[in-house]
mmCIF file of all heavy atoms in Angstrom:
data_model
loop_
_atom_site.group_PDB
_atom_site.id
_atom_site.type_symbol
_atom_site.label_atom_id
_atom_site.label_comp_id
_atom_site.label_asym_id
_atom_site.label_seq_id
_atom_site.Cartn_x
_atom_site.Cartn_y
_atom_site.Cartn_z
ATOM 1 N N MET A 63 69.057 33.163 -28.146
ATOM 2 C CA MET A 63 70.431 32.677 -28.284
ATOM 3 C C MET A 63 70.520 31.511 -29.254
ATOM 4 O O MET A 63 71.534 31.347 -29.932
ATOM 5 C CB MET A 63 70.981 32.282 -26.922
ATOM 6 C CG MET A 63 71.230 33.468 -26.042
ATOM 7 S SD MET A 63 71.762 32.957 -24.402
ATOM 8 C CE MET A 63 71.600 34.505 -23.534
ATOM 9 N N SER A 64 69.465 30.717 -29.343
ATOM 10 C CA SER A 64 69.519 29.558 -30.241
ATOM 11 C C SER A 64 69.274 29.940 -31.694
ATOM 12 O O SER A 64 69.715 29.238 -32.593
ATOM 13 C CB SER A 64 68.521 28.484 -29.795
ATOM 14 O OG SER A 64 67.199 28.894 -30.022
ATOM 15 N N TYR A 65 68.597 31.068 -31.939
ATOM 16 C CA TYR A 65 68.266 31.449 -33.308
ATOM 17 C C TYR A 65 69.046 32.629 -33.856
ATOM 18 O O TYR A 65 69.223 32.740 -35.051
ATOM 19 C CB TYR A 65 66.768 31.733 -33.441
ATOM 20 C CG TYR A 65 65.984 30.459 -33.531
ATOM 21 C CD1 TYR A 65 65.299 29.983 -32.426
ATOM 22 C CD2 TYR A 65 65.954 29.715 -34.695
ATOM 23 C CE1 TYR A 65 64.596 28.792 -32.485
ATOM 24 C CE2 TYR A 65 65.266 28.520 -34.769
ATOM 25 C CZ TYR A 65 64.583 28.065 -33.660
ATOM 26 O OH TYR A 65 63.905 26.888 -33.730
ATOM 27 N N ASN A 66 69.472 33.521 -33.018
ATOM 28 C CA ASN A 66 70.183 34.715 -33.483
ATOM 29 C C ASN A 66 71.663 34.588 -33.165
ATOM 30 O O ASN A 66 72.123 35.043 -32.130
ATOM 31 C CB ASN A 66 69.594 35.982 -32.828
ATOM 32 C CG ASN A 66 68.168 36.182 -33.233
ATOM 33 O OD1 ASN A 66 67.841 36.105 -34.406
ATOM 34 N ND2 ASN A 66 67.308 36.414 -32.270
ATOM 35 N N ARG A 67 72.367 33.997 -34.092
ATOM 36 C CA ARG A 67 73.785 33.710 -33.855
ATOM 37 C C ARG A 67 74.720 34.557 -34.694
ATOM 38 O O ARG A 67 75.918 34.357 -34.683
ATOM 39 C CB ARG A 67 74.053 32.238 -34.144
ATOM 40 C CG ARG A 67 73.222 31.326 -33.287
ATOM 41 C CD ARG A 67 73.518 29.903 -33.604
ATOM 42 N NE ARG A 67 72.234 29.196 -33.721
ATOM 43 C CZ ARG A 67 72.115 27.996 -34.178
ATOM 44 N NH1 ARG A 67 73.159 27.338 -34.590
ATOM 45 N NH2 ARG A 67 70.946 27.420 -34.255
ATOM 46 N N ASP A 68 74.169 35.506 -35.421
ATOM 47 C CA ASP A 68 74.999 36.354 -36.266
ATOM 48 C C ASP A 68 75.667 37.444 -35.441
ATOM 49 O O ASP A 68 75.126 37.912 -34.443
ATOM 50 C CB ASP A 68 74.166 37.019 -37.359
ATOM 51 C CG ASP A 68 73.613 36.006 -38.348
ATOM 52 O OD1 ASP A 68 74.243 34.939 -38.499
ATOM 53 O OD2 ASP A 68 72.571 36.288 -38.954
ATOM 54 N N PHE A 69 76.832 37.870 -35.880
ATOM 55 C CA PHE A 69 77.555 38.954 -35.214
ATOM 56 C C PHE A 69 76.865 40.287 -35.443
ATOM 57 O O PHE A 69 76.783 41.124 -34.560
ATOM 58 C CB PHE A 69 79.005 39.010 -35.710
ATOM 59 C CG PHE A 69 79.807 40.099 -35.075
ATOM 60 C CD1 PHE A 69 80.146 40.033 -33.733
ATOM 61 C CD2 PHE A 69 80.215 41.191 -35.807
ATOM 62 C CE1 PHE A 69 80.876 41.037 -33.133
ATOM 63 C CE2 PHE A 69 80.947 42.204 -35.225
ATOM 64 C CZ PHE A 69 81.286 42.123 -33.877
ATOM 65 N N THR A 70 76.347 40.481 -36.646
ATOM 66 C CA THR A 70 75.664 41.735 -36.947
ATOM 67 C C THR A 70 74.189 41.614 -36.566
ATOM 68 O O THR A 70 73.610 40.532 -36.623
ATOM 69 C CB THR A 70 75.768 42.080 -38.446
ATOM 70 O OG1 THR A 70 75.219 41.009 -39.204
ATOM 71 C CG2 THR A 70 77.211 42.311 -38.838
ATOM 72 N N VAL A 71 73.600 42.729 -36.170
ATOM 73 C CA VAL A 71 72.199 42.721 -35.761
ATOM 74 C C VAL A 71 71.442 43.816 -36.501
ATOM 75 O O VAL A 71 72.020 44.780 -36.976
ATOM 76 C CB VAL A 71 72.040 42.938 -34.242
ATOM 77 C CG1 VAL A 71 72.626 41.781 -33.467
ATOM 78 C CG2 VAL A 71 72.679 44.242 -33.807
ATOM 79 N N ASN A 72 70.138 43.664 -36.570
ATOM 80 C CA ASN A 72 69.330 44.674 -37.237
ATOM 81 C C ASN A 72 68.601 45.581 -36.248
ATOM 82 O O ASN A 72 67.854 46.441 -36.636
ATOM 83 C CB ASN A 72 68.341 44.033 -38.212
ATOM 84 C CG ASN A 72 67.398 43.086 -37.517
ATOM 85 O OD1 ASN A 72 67.434 42.936 -36.309
ATOM 86 N ND2 ASN A 72 66.552 42.421 -38.284
ATOM 87 N N ARG A 73 68.796 45.354 -34.967
ATOM 88 C CA ARG A 73 68.264 46.250 -33.948
ATOM 89 C C ARG A 73 69.194 46.222 -32.745
ATOM 90 O O ARG A 73 69.908 45.255 -32.526
ATOM 91 C CB ARG A 73 66.844 45.873 -33.563
ATOM 92 C CG ARG A 73 66.714 44.527 -32.885
ATOM 93 C CD ARG A 73 65.258 44.300 -32.465
ATOM 94 N NE ARG A 73 65.212 43.289 -31.459
ATOM 95 C CZ ARG A 73 64.750 42.066 -31.647
ATOM 96 N NH1 ARG A 73 64.291 41.707 -32.819
ATOM 97 N NH2 ARG A 73 64.749 41.199 -30.676
ATOM 98 N N ASP A 74 69.159 47.267 -31.976
ATOM 99 C CA ASP A 74 70.102 47.369 -30.860
ATOM 100 C C ASP A 74 69.412 47.466 -29.507
ATOM 101 O O ASP A 74 69.954 48.022 -28.565
ATOM 102 C CB ASP A 74 71.031 48.570 -31.069
ATOM 103 C CG ASP A 74 70.285 49.887 -31.144
ATOM 104 O OD1 ASP A 74 69.046 49.869 -31.175
ATOM 105 O OD2 ASP A 74 70.945 50.927 -31.184
ATOM 106 N N THR A 75 68.209 46.910 -29.409
ATOM 107 C CA THR A 75 67.479 46.952 -28.149
ATOM 108 C C THR A 75 67.052 45.553 -27.733
ATOM 109 O O THR A 75 66.955 44.651 -28.561
ATOM 110 C CB THR A 75 66.220 47.827 -28.267
ATOM 111 O OG1 THR A 75 65.391 47.300 -29.303
ATOM 112 C CG2 THR A 75 66.571 49.271 -28.595
ATOM 113 N N LEU A 76 66.799 45.401 -26.453
ATOM 114 C CA LEU A 76 66.267 44.144 -25.949
ATOM 115 C C LEU A 76 64.804 43.998 -26.347
ATOM 116 O O LEU A 76 64.119 44.989 -26.588
ATOM 117 C CB LEU A 76 66.322 44.120 -24.419
ATOM 118 C CG LEU A 76 67.647 43.867 -23.748
ATOM 119 C CD1 LEU A 76 67.495 43.999 -22.235
ATOM 120 C CD2 LEU A 76 68.161 42.489 -24.091
ATOM 121 N N ASN A 77 64.343 42.778 -26.363
ATOM 122 C CA ASN A 77 62.924 42.502 -26.507
ATOM 123 C C ASN A 77 62.206 43.295 -25.412
ATOM 124 O O ASN A 77 62.578 43.216 -24.254
ATOM 125 C CB ASN A 77 62.718 40.998 -26.341
ATOM 126 C CG ASN A 77 61.273 40.586 -26.298
ATOM 127 O OD1 ASN A 77 60.495 41.089 -25.506
ATOM 128 N ND2 ASN A 77 60.936 39.627 -27.133
ATOM 129 N N PRO A 78 61.182 44.087 -25.754
ATOM 130 C CA PRO A 78 60.531 44.942 -24.753
ATOM 131 C C PRO A 78 59.947 44.170 -23.566
ATOM 132 O O PRO A 78 59.992 44.635 -22.430
ATOM 133 C CB PRO A 78 59.418 45.647 -25.525
ATOM 134 C CG PRO A 78 59.675 45.399 -26.953
ATOM 135 C CD PRO A 78 60.621 44.266 -27.084
ATOM 136 N N THR A 79 59.413 42.976 -23.814
ATOM 137 C CA THR A 79 58.870 42.178 -22.719
ATOM 138 C C THR A 79 59.974 41.746 -21.776
ATOM 139 O O THR A 79 59.850 41.848 -20.555
ATOM 140 C CB THR A 79 58.119 40.949 -23.268
ATOM 141 O OG1 THR A 79 57.091 41.387 -24.155
ATOM 142 C CG2 THR A 79 57.515 40.130 -22.149
ATOM 143 N N VAL A 80 61.073 41.255 -22.336
ATOM 144 C CA VAL A 80 62.201 40.828 -21.518
ATOM 145 C C VAL A 80 62.772 42.014 -20.741
ATOM 146 O O VAL A 80 63.038 41.916 -19.541
ATOM 147 C CB VAL A 80 63.302 40.163 -22.379
ATOM 148 C CG1 VAL A 80 64.552 39.896 -21.568
ATOM 149 C CG2 VAL A 80 62.789 38.879 -22.988
ATOM 150 N N ALA A 81 62.941 43.141 -21.402
ATOM 151 C CA ALA A 81 63.489 44.327 -20.746
ATOM 152 C C ALA A 81 62.617 44.762 -19.574
ATOM 153 O O ALA A 81 63.122 45.094 -18.493
ATOM 154 C CB ALA A 81 63.640 45.470 -21.746
ATOM 155 N N THR A 82 61.312 44.731 -19.767
ATOM 156 C CA THR A 82 60.401 45.121 -18.690
ATOM 157 C C THR A 82 60.467 44.142 -17.533
ATOM 158 O O THR A 82 60.568 44.552 -16.367
ATOM 159 C CB THR A 82 58.948 45.211 -19.217
ATOM 160 O OG1 THR A 82 58.905 46.174 -20.260
ATOM 161 C CG2 THR A 82 57.987 45.605 -18.113
ATOM 162 N N LEU A 83 60.431 42.848 -17.834
ATOM 163 C CA LEU A 83 60.499 41.848 -16.767
ATOM 164 C C LEU A 83 61.794 41.965 -15.977
ATOM 165 O O LEU A 83 61.798 41.938 -14.744
ATOM 166 C CB LEU A 83 60.369 40.432 -17.342
ATOM 167 C CG LEU A 83 58.979 40.012 -17.794
ATOM 168 C CD1 LEU A 83 59.043 38.707 -18.562
ATOM 169 C CD2 LEU A 83 58.050 39.882 -16.603
ATOM 170 N N LEU A 84 62.909 42.102 -16.668
ATOM 171 C CA LEU A 84 64.187 42.188 -15.978
ATOM 172 C C LEU A 84 64.311 43.488 -15.195
ATOM 173 O O LEU A 84 64.869 43.514 -14.097
ATOM 174 C CB LEU A 84 65.334 42.049 -16.976
ATOM 175 C CG LEU A 84 65.436 40.701 -17.699
ATOM 176 C CD1 LEU A 84 66.614 40.716 -18.659
ATOM 177 C CD2 LEU A 84 65.539 39.546 -16.732
ATOM 178 N N SER A 85 63.784 44.565 -15.735
ATOM 179 C CA SER A 85 63.862 45.856 -15.052
ATOM 180 C C SER A 85 63.074 45.866 -13.746
ATOM 181 O O SER A 85 63.428 46.594 -12.817
ATOM 182 C CB SER A 85 63.352 46.973 -15.963
ATOM 183 O OG SER A 85 64.228 47.126 -17.054
ATOM 184 N N LEU A 86 62.035 45.053 -13.669
ATOM 185 C CA LEU A 86 61.257 44.982 -12.435
ATOM 186 C C LEU A 86 62.108 44.564 -11.241
ATOM 187 O O LEU A 86 61.817 44.938 -10.104
ATOM 188 C CB LEU A 86 60.107 43.978 -12.591
ATOM 189 C CG LEU A 86 58.968 44.368 -13.509
ATOM 190 C CD1 LEU A 86 58.015 43.179 -13.697
ATOM 191 C CD2 LEU A 86 58.216 45.572 -12.960
ATOM 192 N N TYR A 87 63.147 43.790 -11.486
ATOM 193 C CA TYR A 87 63.954 43.228 -10.418
ATOM 194 C C TYR A 87 65.397 43.708 -10.419
ATOM 195 O O TYR A 87 66.215 43.247 -9.638
ATOM 196 C CB TYR A 87 63.930 41.697 -10.493
ATOM 197 C CG TYR A 87 62.523 41.160 -10.465
ATOM 198 C CD1 TYR A 87 61.917 40.673 -11.621
ATOM 199 C CD2 TYR A 87 61.786 41.191 -9.291
ATOM 200 C CE1 TYR A 87 60.615 40.208 -11.596
ATOM 201 C CE2 TYR A 87 60.473 40.722 -9.271
ATOM 202 C CZ TYR A 87 59.899 40.226 -10.413
ATOM 203 O OH TYR A 87 58.610 39.769 -10.384
ATOM 204 N N SER A 88 65.713 44.639 -11.270
ATOM 205 C CA SER A 88 67.101 45.092 -11.408
ATOM 206 C C SER A 88 67.563 45.869 -10.172
ATOM 207 O O SER A 88 66.986 46.873 -9.809
ATOM 208 C CB SER A 88 67.244 45.968 -12.652
ATOM 209 O OG SER A 88 68.586 46.357 -12.801
ATOM 210 N N LYS A 89 68.613 45.366 -9.549
ATOM 211 C CA LYS A 89 69.237 46.027 -8.402
ATOM 212 C C LYS A 89 70.442 46.846 -8.848
ATOM 213 O O LYS A 89 70.915 47.685 -8.121
ATOM 214 C CB LYS A 89 69.722 44.988 -7.388
ATOM 215 C CG LYS A 89 68.659 44.129 -6.804
ATOM 216 C CD LYS A 89 69.310 43.140 -5.863
ATOM 217 C CE LYS A 89 68.368 42.093 -5.354
ATOM 218 N NZ LYS A 89 69.052 41.154 -4.455
#
Side-chain angles (χ1 to χ4, degrees):
M63 290 176 192
S64 70
Y65 281 102
N66 297 312
R67 301 180 226 169
D68 294 334
F69 180 69
T70 58
V71 294
N72 60 3
R73 65 176 199 252
D74 60 353
T75 58
L76 283 175
N77 173 306
T79 303
V80 172
T82 301
L83 286 170
L84 296 180
S85 293
L86 290 172
Y87 304 105
S88 182
K89 299 178 188 180

